[in-house]
Amino acid sequence: MTLGPSNHSSTSIAAAALSALCERLGDDLVLHGPEVERYCRDWHGDITSGAIAVIRPRSTKDVSEAVKAVRDLGLSIVPQGGNTGLVLGATPDEPERQVVISLERMSAIRRIDADDFSAVVEAGAILAEFKDKVEQAGLYFPLSLGAQGSCRIGGNVSTNAGGINVLRYGMTRELVLGLEVVLPDGSVFDGLSTLRKDNRGIDLKQLFIGAEGTLGIVTAVAVKLMPPAEQVATALLGLPALEDAIRLYRRARRDCCDLMSAFEFMPPVAFTLAREAIPDLPMPISGDYEAYVLMEISGSGLVDVDDLMNRFLEGVMVDGLVLDGVVAGSKAQARNLWLFREGMNEGQAKRGAHLRTDVSVPLSKLPAFVSEAEAAVYEACPDCLCVSYGHVGDGNVHLNVLPPSGLSKEEIAQRIYTSKVVINDVLYRFGGSISAEHGIGRLKKPEFAARLPDVQHRLLKTVKQAIDPDLIMNPGCQLNFTPDS
Amino acid sequence: MTLGPSNHSSTSIAAAALSALCERLGDDLVLHGPEVERYCRDWHGDITSGAIAVIRPRSTKDVSEAVKAVRDLGLSIVPQGGNTGLVLGATPDEPERQVVISLERMSAIRRIDADDFSAVVEAGAILAEFKDKVEQAGLYFPLSLGAQGSCRIGGNVSTNAGGINVLRYGMTRELVLGLEVVLPDGSVFDGLSTLRKDNRGIDLKQLFIGAEGTLGIVTAVAVKLMPPAEQVATALLGLPALEDAIRLYRRARRDCCDLMSAFEFMPPVAFTLAREAIPDLPMPISGDYEAYVLMEISGSGLVDVDDLMNRFLEGVMVDGLVLDGVVAGSKAQARNLWLFREGMNEGQAKRGAHLRTDVSVPLSKLPAFVSEAEAAVYEACPDCLCVSYGHVGDGNVHLNVLPPSGLSKEEIAQRIYTSKVVINDVLYRFGGSISAEHGIGRLKKPEFAARLPDVQHRLLKTVKQAIDPDLIMNPGCQLNFTPDS
């Protein structure tokens, strides 16, 4: 699929813009021709667009000069990190008017200060590489994502990335101490402080976290670091019902002193799906239960987390909250328990195209939401299979809908569309969010705009137009703005 | 001291405005006459001003109507919670043009949801009363301040309050899940969600946290709740030097799994000062040390925090990080250890007028900052006594300067002024903040404006003018704006 109109006159305008960019910024910074394509294709490879050029700055000053040049030429900017986003937030959609600014060459770790439990890192640093360097300094940066081998810190900030450690350490916002941002006029907002407490008025950096590059380009980030989680205890538990997962979660937070690092729920069909992907996966737990919880406690130093997990499970099994459970006795066994979670994902993929959601609800409402939303899907699409799982402590559910085999492409698309509509209807009744983690980008913009309250819409527009009056920063992402709309 | 000009013509304009307000909003909502004064005097009682009236809404709708009325009359608004702020952020300074809107009548707890670990509470709820209600529901709201018997949640949000539990639970910002805010045009921003994960674009609520009422009036707040901290272990430790406090802190975070709820440092003079306030206070620790640390670990459920504290101290004493220490064996003993910390404050007050600061530096730089700043004060004011103490984990230092006895009022004021100037000079070299917790208000505005970088200044002005174009929300607080400045 190719996005965006193209005709001869706009092509010649684009060519003139390209040569002006090269002249002003130098050939070293400006990439054009066929190499541009890989920056214009989304992570799934479903959508390919184009751009006038890709600018690849080496410094904050380069970014500032690039923004000024693009602005002077009347073009607009799509900032890009590792291009691993799932909502088309970092790929262009107006090839003749947009320039991608890729931060990939700005990957320096400016500072790791172990006594300050902080680091300052450039936006283009790859998350996994940064985490390794932090580990070598005896500390831990807790942000952990599937894409961490490719995603870059600036993108994590711009999408307020979540990942598997949110329960213990929070979203990216809670890990950010300071930001350096190039604003739409090319000026540099230098907020790279590592202060823990700083109440000097309005905290401007918060605006850029989760803004998906619509207000400026994050060029460097100051983050909190943690002591390493040296010990991890992992358990898979069988529960009487999904409702019990909420009661178990509440008990676990108290009993385990908020040292939980994961608390995932899975449906009975998880095992079937995991076995379809990994046929020789050993069954870790005997018996069939209505709901499963994969739970992890982690810690460092003097707290014995294995002992803590065992005593916790003794108590909740006596009280009937958990019917059966298995605790990993080694790292390999823990890995096997997680393989069920991952195998379940692979198993769904093997069944072909299906609806994947990334929604959140208040966590006390999670069982009721799953029950009502699944019922609504089964009423609208009785031949589909619902697979609901996710992070109990974050209220984050992946309610996926798998069409049966043997349908045509059009029938599958219809099932996906219909089930999304009915899930969103239930979701809004529960005060939920259509995007718990992934952002809005260009993909979820219609859904987002459709239910955005007027006051929020007006306020977003006011802030956007104040900071980016010429609307040059990632136009088309999150919301459509026009100067006089 | 009385602020603000007064003359007959402005007084008659004020009288006309008052009667227009009463007519539009009704007498029940509008307080005037002598009762207004207590809303116009700051917490310390040092500054008394006046206002046209105090509006005391009972509902969000009332607040909205009040904002529209004030706006239509060309007046401006000073929002007020418990009026316990320390920087003149909630008291008026233009008596003939300003109306105080007090949230004291909006104190309902709209909802406590134990399974969701959340609550929704109106801005005027008193912090201690809210904490009590949460405790009755079996949970814990960790924000804890000296003023908690009087301060109100809306003020805590508007100042991003800190307090004694920041190390474990973060500032108010990290406890806020959602906000309801009346904007300067009277419209209501309804962001009262309790979702843990919600990445639907720019997070607008962040703008109002710490804004001290300059962008809108917070009317209700959704907050995170925690499991109660049922167990607390408290210890007072003698260290070879202040530098060792940083090494001890690093070790403590690792060994104690981030379960620390306090890590305060105190100078040797703490005991002298505490004894001046509480003469019969028992000395908890024998021997004289260069630095003292008051440390607390807290937890719930199955972790034995007393055992954890004892094993931690064994290790650090063997390694020479701690020379001597005493662990409280009862709640009464723990109370006595904290009495030193509190007695030290009272002792300083007994010595008369002195400089109190609320500064922060990167935590690894804390010992060097204290050493350099104290040296600079002793060079400029050799007859003064420096008393530095604070929260190591937050990098938050109270570097207070006590003039000697027997000076005139003018001499004392000169010592206070001079030492503040030299401390701020050192502070800025260390990348520190003049306001770790208290905010800017009207009191710290000159210091704040003097060192505010141009880009930040411009961005603050842009955001302020976009959201509050008529500059009616708390004018004079944080920064001076004029429509065409």
Side-chain angles (χ1 to χ4, degrees), chain A residues 113-117 137-139 159-163 166 168-169 171 173-174 183 185 187-191 193-204 206-212 214-215 224-228 230 246-247 249-250 253-259 298-305 308 311-312 360-364 391 393-396 428 431-440 448 455-456 458-460 462-463 466-467 478, chain B residues 113-117 137-139 159-163 166 168-169 171 173-174 183 185 187-191 193-204 206-212 214-215 224-228 230 246-247 249-250 253-259 298-305 308 311-312 360-364 391 393-396 428 431-440 448 455-456 458-460 462-463 466-467 478:
Chain A
D113 183 342
D115 279 334
D116 193 40
F117 285 87
L139 287 163
T159 58
N160 187 29
V166 172
R168 175 81 179 271
Y169 299 102
M171 305 283 279
R173 186 183 303 278
E174 292 183 55
L183 300 174
D185 66 357
S187 62
V188 180
F189 169 79
D190 176 7
S193 151
T194 66
L195 297 175
R196 305 285 154 157
K197 275 184 178 173
D198 184 7
N199 270 347
R200 284 176 293 178
I202 295 163
D203 189 1
L204 291 168
Q206 302 293 341
L207 273 175
F208 304 99
I209 302 172
E212 298 180 77
T214 60
L215 298 178
K224 293 179 192 169
L225 302 178
M226 313 291 169
E230 298 151 350
I246 301 296
R247 284 194 280 157
Y249 172 75
R250 189 173 163 184
R253 284 197 63 180
R254 195 198 69 194
D255 280 8
C256 304
C257 262
D258 273 334
L259 293 175
S298 57
S300 56
L302 301 172
V303 173
D304 183 340
V305 303
L308 181 60
R311 288 187 296 133
F312 168 68
S360 63
V361 291
L363 60 99
S364 57
H391 320 289
D394 310 328
N396 189 183
Y428 277 90
S433 168
I434 54 164
S435 187
E437 292 196 326
H438 298 164
I440 297 298
F448 176 53
V455 174
Q456 268 91 328
R458 238 181 309 138
L459 199 50
L460 283 170
T462 299
V463 169
I467 297 178
Q478 293 196 349
Chain B
D113 183 342
D115 279 334
D116 194 40
F117 286 88
L139 287 164
T159 57
N160 187 27
V166 173
R168 175 82 178 272
Y169 299 101
M171 305 284 279
R173 186 183 303 279
E174 292 182 55
L183 300 176
D185 65 358
S187 62
V188 180
F189 170 80
D190 176 5
S193 150
T194 66
L195 297 175
R196 307 285 153 156
K197 275 184 175 172
D198 185 7
N199 271 347
R200 285 177 292 178
I202 295 164
D203 188 2
L204 290 168
Q206 301 294 339
L207 273 174
F208 304 98
I209 302 172
E212 297 179 77
T214 59
L215 298 178
K224 293 180 193 169
L225 302 178
M226 314 289 170
E230 298 150 351
I246 301 295
R247 283 194 281 159
Y249 172 75
R250 191 173 163 181
R253 284 198 63 181
R254 195 196 68 194
D255 280 7
C256 303
C257 263
D258 273 333
L259 293 175
S298 57
S300 56
L302 300 172
V303 173
D304 182 341
V305 304
L308 181 61
R311 287 187 297 131
F312 169 67
S360 63
V361 291
L363 61 98
S364 57
H391 319 289
D394 310 328
N396 189 184
Y428 276 90
S433 167
I434 54 164
S435 187
E437 292 197 326
H438 297 165
I440 297 298
F448 175 53
V455 173
Q456 269 90 325
R458 237 182 309 140
L459 199 50
L460 283 171
T462 298
V463 168
I467 297 178
Q478 293 196 349

Side-chain angles (χ1 to χ4, degrees), chain B residues 149-190:
Chain B
S150 307
C151 67
R152 295 171 193 269
I153 302 279
N156 298 143
V157 171
S158 294
T159 57
N160 187 27
I164 62 170
N165 280 327
V166 173
L167 181 61
R168 175 82 178 272
Y169 299 101
M171 305 284 279
T172 299
R173 186 183 303 279
E174 292 182 55
L175 303 173
V176 171
L177 292 169
L179 289 184
E180 180 186 85
V181 183
V182 174
L183 300 176
D185 65 358
S187 62
V188 180
F189 170 80
D190 176 5

Side-chain angles (χ1 to χ4, degrees), chain A residues 24 38 72 110 115 157 277 280 332 391 427 454 456 485:
Chain A
R24 182 145 163 191
R38 73 177 178 90
D72 290 349
R110 293 192 189 164
D115 279 334
V157 170
D280 56 347
H391 320 289
L427 183 66
D454 279 351
Q456 268 91 328
S485 70

Side-chain angles (χ1 to χ4, degrees), chain B residues 329-347:
Chain B
S330 67
K331 278 196 178 175
Q333 282 181 24
R335 183 84 203 96
N336 270 334
L337 296 183
W338 278 101
L339 265 184
F340 265 105
R341 174 76 160 79
E342 290 153 25
M344 175 179 57
N345 273 342
E346 283 179 55

Side-chain angles (χ1 to χ4, degrees), chain A residues 129-200:
Chain A
E129 293 175 8
F130 174 60
K131 285 167 69 85
D132 286 347
K133 285 278 167 30
V134 168
E135 203 182 316
Q136 287 162 26
L139 287 163
Y140 179 54
F141 183 60
L143 185 64
S144 297
L145 310 174
Q148 65 190 25
S150 307
C151 67
R152 296 172 192 269
I153 302 278
N156 299 142
V157 170
S158 293
T159 58
N160 187 29
I164 61 170
N165 280 326
V166 172
L167 182 60
R168 175 81 179 271
Y169 299 102
M171 305 283 279
T172 299
R173 186 183 303 278
E174 292 183 55
L175 302 172
V176 170
L177 293 169
L179 289 184
E180 180 186 84
V181 183
V182 173
L183 300 174
D185 66 357
S187 62
V188 180
F189 169 79
D190 176 7
L192 272 184
S193 151
T194 66
L195 297 175
R196 305 285 154 157
K197 275 184 178 173
D198 184 7
N199 270 347
R200 284 176 293 178

